[in-house]
Amino acid sequence: AWKETAESGLLRFLGANKLPHNNPFKTLPLFSDVNSALATGLAPTSSGFKSIETLCSNIYTNQKNNIQALKAALLAAIFHQCYLLKVLPEVPVHMKSKISMIANWIKNSPHLAFLNASERELIAFFCWEKPPANFNMQLSSESKTEDIVLFRILVHIAVVALGSKNESLTKLFHTAILSPETLAGSWLPCMAEDTQAMAVRVLGGRWYKCSNGHAYFVDKVLNHNILFMDV
C-alpha cells in the first residue's frame, strides 16, 4: 500500500539499481527550481501543479532573457522526474496518473505560452506520451544500463536544442529536431576532403605509389622534386 502513495523521490530510491546515479542536468540554469516545483506537483498529496505554473509565469513575465533556459530546464526536469521512471519494474497507478496529468498540462496550459506546438509535443513525449510513428528509441523496464545512457545522450541534445538562442550555433539542433523539413537542400560544414587531392590542387603534380605500397608526390616535372610520404 505504501508503494501506491510513494512520491517520485522514493520511487527513484527504490529503483536506484536501475536508474542513473548522477544527474548532469543539475548544472543547468533554472533546473533546480523547475525540478523542485515539478516534484511538488507530482507528490501524492498535491492537487495540481500550482508551483510549476507560478514559476513558469513569473519567469515568462519578469525574466524574458531566461525563456530559452526555462524551456531547457523544463524538458530536463520532465525527463528526470517522469520519463526515467519507465525503467522501473513497477510504477504505482497514482504516479502514472500524475504523469498523464503533466502531459495534458504541457500540451494545453496557457502558462506555457512560451512553448510552440512542436516544443510542447517534444516535452510531452517524455511524459510517457505515444511516440511518433517509426520512433523505436524508447526506454522500458527491459532497458539495460547502456540503453539508458545512450538515451540520455539524446535527451542532452534535445535539452541543448530547446535552450538555444536564435544566434547560437546550437540552434541547428532545434531546427533538426523540430522542423527538419526546413533544412532540405541545405549544406552543413564538414571535414576537409582528401588531403592528397588538396595538395595536388595547390601544388600541381601528382601522387604515385611505389612497389612497396608507399605513396609519393611528384612536383612539376621541370623541377625534378620528389616528396616521399608514408601513408
Side-chain angles (χ1 to χ4, degrees), residues 26-113:
K26 289 191 296 185
T27 60
L28 279 176
L30 300 179
F31 175 81
S32 179
D33 292 338
V34 173
N35 189 61
S36 177
L38 182 61
T40 299
L42 289 171
T45 56
S46 173
S47 59
F49 305 104
K50 186 65 176 179
S51 295
I52 188 70
E53 288 179 347
T54 300
L55 177 63
C56 290
S57 295
N58 286 341
I59 294 175
Y60 181 57
T61 303
N62 304 314
Q63 303 178 41
K64 295 290 188 181
N65 59 323
N66 278 333
I67 295 301
Q68 301 306 124
L70 176 59
K71 292 180 181 182
L74 185 59
L75 172 55
I78 291 287
F79 173 74
H80 181 71
Q81 290 286 345
C82 300
Y83 194 81
L84 278 179
L85 297 182
K86 291 193 73 172
V87 306
L88 300 181
E90 184 180 357
V91 177
V93 174
H94 91 274
M95 181 56 68
K96 292 180 180 179
S97 177
K98 285 280 188 178
I99 293 175
S100 179
M101 291 170 62
I102 282 284
N104 185 66
W105 176 74
I106 290 292
K107 291 185 291 185
N108 301 299
S109 175
H111 297 278
L112 302 179

Side-chain angles (χ1 to χ4, degrees), residues 171-188:
K171 189 66 175 180
L172 173 64
F173 292 126
H174 188 283
T175 305
I177 293 174
L178 298 178
S179 51
E181 69 282 355
T182 62
L183 295 176
S186 300
W187 296 90
L188 304 177

